[in-house]
Amino acid sequence: MPVEERKRVIEKIRHGGWTTPTSGVLPGYAQANLVVLDKAFAFEFLLYCQRNPKSCPVLDVTDPGIAVPALAGKDADIRSDIPKYHIYRSGEHVETTENMEHLWTDTSVAFLLGCSFTFEEALIQNGIAIRHNEENCNVPMFKTNIDTVPAGLFSGPMVVSMRPMKRADAIRAVQVTSRFPDVHGAPVHIGDPSEIGIINITQPDYGDAVTLKEGEIPVFWACGVTPQAAAKANKLDMITHAPGHMFLTDIKNETLGVL
Amino acid sequence: MPVEERKRVIEKIRHGGWTTPTSGVLPGYAQANLVVLDKAFAFEFLLYCQRNPKSCPVLDVTDPGIAVPALAGKDADIRSDIPKYHIYRSGEHVETTENMEHLWTDTSVAFLLGCSFTFEEALIQNGIAIRHNEENCNVPMFKTNIDTVPAGLFSGPMVVSMRPMKRADAIRAVQVTSRFPDVHGAPVHIGDPSEIGIINITQPDYGDAVTLKEGEIPVFWACGVTPQAAAKANKLDMITHAPGHMFLTDIKNETLGVL
């Protein structure tokens, strides 16, 4: 990534000139889910992440009141550099904004969690096409009957993202994504959606439906939208990214591979 | 591991009948480093672990005041089930005890961090002998000039453990230990000790010296004693295990492999 290209995109997002999804932007670099909480809840949430590493792989945590993510983007401001934010109050999604400076306080802590865009790039490099890219829409995401491991106020269902593929590709996808535990790692389920409580594969809870072709099976990965389900389940205040509208880190995807 | 064997060993440790190092005990199961802090410092320490995952890979964190590590040993009591504890007051190691029930409070939080005994087993299975096992002593550990990434009150030098081996074995050791990020993962340094600030390889800061044979190089891994160096550097109160005297988890080593 030329530094100028990153600067150009970040500037555009910061000043409201970019409000669409970030899929495919700055290829080769990791993108991240956002969760902002008051520091009073920061320990419990970090513990929730530690207990649920597949859903909530932590890339960076800011110091209270500091809006610069030192490990994931020294040049960025977490309050303005995401195209769209979701504001949750008492678990309800009450607002979508392009900036959240007015809600950020001296006690705000921002958590950046790894995003599946990183492993999608690795899948594509392994010859496995990504259906929602082909169909030019958001990845389909579903609430499941898999309970996350609670920590303090945080609990609720695991949210998963789904990608359809041939059985042989599913095996390769397990291998490829196992290399990347910091961006959700290996799938959590392969095949029959009903086993993890998904009734209708054509009606995702978040994102868009995609085509499941003859001879394909759905493959499910833990998803960084899981904290938003925890906010809802426990009536919490939280600021997050809008699904698909991610934070652009300066971390190279390949450096997240464990082997 | 037969459940009875585990029960027998844990009971013995709990009642003061076992006060020696735990290397080689309950083979196939992970052992863990201990750090106990007041909950007022729990977030900063968990963040320190997140920022320094090679030194401080978190296996479990107890809820405040709860002495049972639910994820790492449901049958255990963290206050009594380690052969020896080190007590740090204002950064000084003031006491070694076989039990720390008298120091545990309603606001105590215990952190269990992965231990190199897990990857040593994998190295042995790959035909790489472990010198300190051959010489029947503790692994040599050194303070380095590598700074950990600070978080709140926690900062200081990375502590490393050292294993001598042939160059070809060092390459295999990188591959083998990369599979186990939750127990320190790949080495942090290979060869010339002076490059990471180690002046005399025959005088470890913790543990015992081992023989470095002709044709061998020292290989260095991040070590779970790093928090004890952080306690010293920042004059903190902390309860830890005594080096080599670990907590016996019920987590199978192999389940910690990422691939």
Side-chain angles (χ1 to χ4, degrees), chain A residues 22 25 46 77 127 136 162 179 201 211 217 233 235-236 251:
Chain A
T22 52
V25 176
L46 191 54
D77 186 321
N136 203 24
M162 188 278 282
R179 290 189 60 231
I201 198 73
T211 311
I217 52 170
K235 303 192 186 345
L236 305 177
I251 301 168

Coordinates of all heavy atoms in Angstrom, one line a residue, chain A residues 22 25 46 77 127 136 162 179 201 211 217 233 235-236 251:
Chain A
T22 N -16.3 -1.0 3.2 CA -14.9 -0.9 2.9 C -14.3 -2.2 2.3 O -13.1 -2.3 2.2 CB -14.1 -0.6 4.2 OG1 -14.6 -1.5 5.2 CG2 -14.4 0.8 4.7
V25 N -11.1 -2.4 0.0 CA -10.3 -1.1 0.1 C -8.9 -1.4 0.7 O -8.8 -2.2 1.6 CB -11.1 -0.1 0.9 CG1 -10.2 1.2 1.1 CG2 -12.4 0.2 0.3
L46 N -12.8 -7.0 27.8 CA -11.5 -7.6 27.4 C -11.5 -9.1 27.8 O -11.0 -9.9 27.0 CB -10.3 -6.8 27.9 CG -8.9 -7.2 27.4 CD1 -8.9 -7.1 25.9 CD2 -7.9 -6.3 28.0
D77 N -7.8 8.4 13.7 CA -8.6 8.9 14.8 C -9.9 8.0 14.8 O -10.7 8.1 13.9 CB -9.0 10.3 14.7 CG -9.7 10.9 15.9 OD1 -10.5 10.2 16.4 OD2 -9.4 12.1 16.2
G127 N -7.7 -19.7 -4.6 CA -8.7 -20.1 -5.6 C -10.1 -20.3 -5.2 O -10.9 -20.9 -5.9
N136 N -21.7 -8.9 -5.2 CA -21.6 -7.4 -4.9 C -22.5 -7.0 -3.7 O -23.2 -6.0 -3.8 CB -21.9 -6.6 -6.2 CG -21.3 -5.3 -6.1 OD1 -20.3 -5.0 -5.4 ND2 -21.9 -4.3 -6.8
M162 N -21.3 -16.4 6.9 CA -21.5 -17.6 6.1 C -20.9 -17.4 4.7 O -21.2 -16.4 4.0 CB -22.9 -18.0 6.0 CG -23.2 -19.4 5.4 SD -23.2 -19.4 3.6 CE -24.9 -18.8 3.3
R179 N -4.6 -20.5 9.8 CA -3.4 -19.7 9.9 C -3.6 -18.4 10.5 O -2.7 -17.7 10.9 CB -2.7 -19.5 8.5 CG -2.1 -20.7 7.9 CD -1.4 -20.3 6.6 NE -0.3 -19.4 6.9 CZ -0.1 -18.2 6.3 NH1 -0.9 -17.8 5.3 NH2 0.9 -17.4 6.7
I201 N -31.6 -20.1 5.9 CA -30.3 -19.7 5.4 C -30.5 -18.5 4.4 O -29.5 -17.8 4.1 CB -29.6 -20.9 4.8 CG1 -28.0 -20.6 4.6 CG2 -30.1 -21.3 3.4 CD1 -27.3 -20.6 5.9
T211 N -26.5 -16.6 -2.9 CA -26.9 -17.8 -3.5 C -26.1 -19.0 -3.0 O -24.9 -18.9 -2.9 CB -26.7 -17.7 -5.1 OG1 -27.3 -16.5 -5.5 CG2 -27.4 -18.9 -5.8
I217 N -21.9 -26.4 0.2 CA -22.4 -26.4 1.6 C -22.0 -25.0 2.2 O -21.1 -24.3 1.8 CB -21.7 -27.5 2.4 CG1 -20.1 -27.4 2.3 CG2 -22.2 -28.8 2.0 CD1 -19.4 -28.3 3.3
A233 N -28.5 -8.3 23.9 CA -29.0 -9.3 24.9 C -28.9 -8.7 26.3 O -29.7 -9.2 27.2 CB -28.1 -10.5 24.8
K235 N -28.8 -5.2 27.1 CA -29.3 -3.8 27.2 C -28.1 -2.9 27.5 O -28.2 -2.1 28.5 CB -30.4 -3.7 28.2 CG -31.6 -4.6 27.9 CD -32.8 -4.2 28.7 CE -34.0 -5.1 28.6 NZ -34.1 -6.0 27.5
L236 N -27.0 -3.0 26.7 CA -25.8 -2.2 27.0 C -25.7 -0.9 26.1 O -26.3 -0.9 25.0 CB -24.6 -3.0 26.8 CG -24.6 -4.4 27.6 CD1 -23.3 -5.1 27.3 CD2 -24.6 -4.1 29.1
I251 N -2.0 -2.7 9.5 CA -1.4 -4.0 9.8 C -1.5 -4.8 8.5 O -2.6 -5.0 7.9 CB -2.1 -4.7 10.9 CG1 -2.1 -3.9 12.2 CG2 -1.6 -6.1 11.1 CD1 -3.0 -4.4 13.3

